[in-house]
Amino acid sequence: MARARKVTISTDVHGHTAGWSETLGAPPATPTPDPTAAAFFDVDNTMMQGASIYWFARGLAARKYFTTGDLARFAWQQAKFRLLATEHAGDMSQAKEAALAFVQGWRVDDVERLAEEIFDELMAPRIWAGTRRLAQRHLDAGERVWLVSAAPVEIGRVIAARLGLTGAIGTVAEVVDGAYTGRLAGDLMHGPAKAEAITQLAGVEGLDLGRCTAYSDSANDLPMLSIVGHPVAVNPDPALLRQARQHGWAVRDFRTGRRAVKIAVPSTAAAGLVAGAVTAGLALHRRRHRAG
């Protein structure tokens, strides 16, 4: 026969519950936070549907920083470049420098303000609820959570702040006196650069990568996934799904049916196209503004 449990509930002077205890069994203990464990989330198609730079560009277009025609024309030019160019080191170096040329002279606080507005309007509704829950589990366990994205770090910081995460790792533009110079301060945060940045952060924060978790949708992030003890494929592309199955990694897919196919478009082709369109479109906007 099971032994009866005696539960004592204490109340304050107003009759409100102040605490409780029982003679047999204690309330579930809160897990002790592990200061050496953390989680790293890719952004595009992992934390959100589509690419953050795509939605950022959409927000800029809505604010008349460039026209729809400009967007389409420069997108086509960028498409030809992506189809014909090979990603040798020299080509990528030039592309990286061109990618941020349009922000030359812009104030950092202006870009951050735009990123906040556009996140609330266009990005927030596209955060994957399932991935957001995964991040929250790490937070609830007392772990720190960082976003890791090739997008400008300002966009990553806004997303992290809005979601209550620890911070963001992203592509960093050179800043002098609060304004962008139009050059990168380091590498584009892509592929191996993500793994290098996470390794450096782990050294500073005292993290044990073997106890950390990383989430991504793309095989481009295999370097990042491979350095942690708990890699997870989220909404994986075919190449990453093959790797995940081969290595026995966890897989989480929050897409359904035809919707998954549609979402893949802005996160891959259109993301790259719009990135080029933003560069040229904003440059054109600046010239028109100065001429007026």
Side-chain angles (χ1 to χ4, degrees):
M1 181 180 297
R3 298 169 58 188
R5 295 185 298 179
K6 179 182 178 182
V7 179
T8 301
I9 301 176
S10 59
T11 59
D12 58 22
V13 294
H14 301 290
H16 299 141
T17 300
W20 68 276
S21 63
E22 57 181 340
T23 56
L24 293 179
T30 302
T32 302
D34 183 353
T36 68
F40 301 95
F41 286 81
D42 171 55
V43 175
D44 298 346
N45 208 36
T46 302
M47 182 58 74
M48 74 162 26
Q49 301 174 23
S52 55
I53 191 67
Y54 173 83
W55 299 116
F56 185 64
R58 285 279 298 272
L60 293 177
R63 287 162 173 77
K64 308 302 182 184
Y65 280 90
F66 50 88
T67 69
T68 304
D70 293 333
L71 185 63
R73 182 165 55 257
F74 292 118
W76 171 242
Q77 293 174 354
Q78 182 71 1
K80 290 191 294 184
F81 170 80
R82 289 173 62 86
L83 290 171
L84 299 176
T86 56
E87 294 186 347
H88 296 303
D91 294 330
M92 289 303 295
S93 177
Q94 293 178 6
K96 287 187 292 186
E97 292 301 323
L100 290 176
F102 75 90
V103 296
Q104 181 177 359
W106 283 42
R107 303 292 303 178
V108 175
D109 51 3
D110 289 336
V111 172
E112 291 176 340
R113 173 183 54 80
L114 285 167
E116 289 174 349
E117 293 177 3
I118 294 170
F119 174 85
D120 293 338
E121 294 170 8
L122 299 176
M123 299 183 194
R126 293 172 172 86
I127 297 295
W128 289 109
T131 310
R132 181 68 187 87
R133 286 193 296 270
L134 292 174
Q136 190 60 49
R137 290 178 188 174
H138 289 282
L139 295 172
D140 292 343
E143 298 179 14
R144 288 162 287 179
V145 178
W146 278 276
L147 298 178
V148 188
S149 175
V153 70
E154 289 79 9
I155 295 178
R157 286 173 181 163
V158 167
I159 298 173
R162 289 295 201 262
L163 298 181
L165 309 182
T166 306
I169 299 171
T171 299
V172 178
E174 183 181 72
V175 176
V176 175
D177 296 329
Y180 295 106
T181 66
R183 297 183 296 270
L184 290 177
D187 289 331
L188 188 71
M189 194 56 58
H190 177 78
K194 288 187 177 183
E196 294 172 6
I198 289 173
T199 300
Q200 293 177 11
L201 180 65
V204 172
E205 298 291 335
L207 302 175
D208 178 356
L209 289 177
R211 301 183 65 82
C212 292
T213 309
Y215 300 83
S216 177
D217 73 294
S218 173
N220 290 329
D221 285 335
L222 283 172
M224 175 180 80
L225 294 169
S226 299
I227 63 170
V228 299
H230 306 285
V232 182
V234 177
N235 306 326
D237 61 27
L240 178 57
L241 182 58
R242 287 194 297 270
Q243 290 291 323
R245 288 173 173 169
Q246 178 180 341
H247 296 289
W249 294 347
V251 176
R252 301 286 184 270
D253 201 326
F254 305 114
R255 303 165 297 182
T256 56
R258 293 181 60 190
R259 185 181 181 192
V261 178
K262 293 178 181 179
I263 289 172
V265 175
S267 68
T268 54
L273 304 185
V274 172
V278 170
T279 301
L282 287 178
L284 179 61
H285 171 79
R286 285 214 313 273
R287 290 197 299 271
R288 287 174 175 170
H289 180 74
R290 289 169 181 168

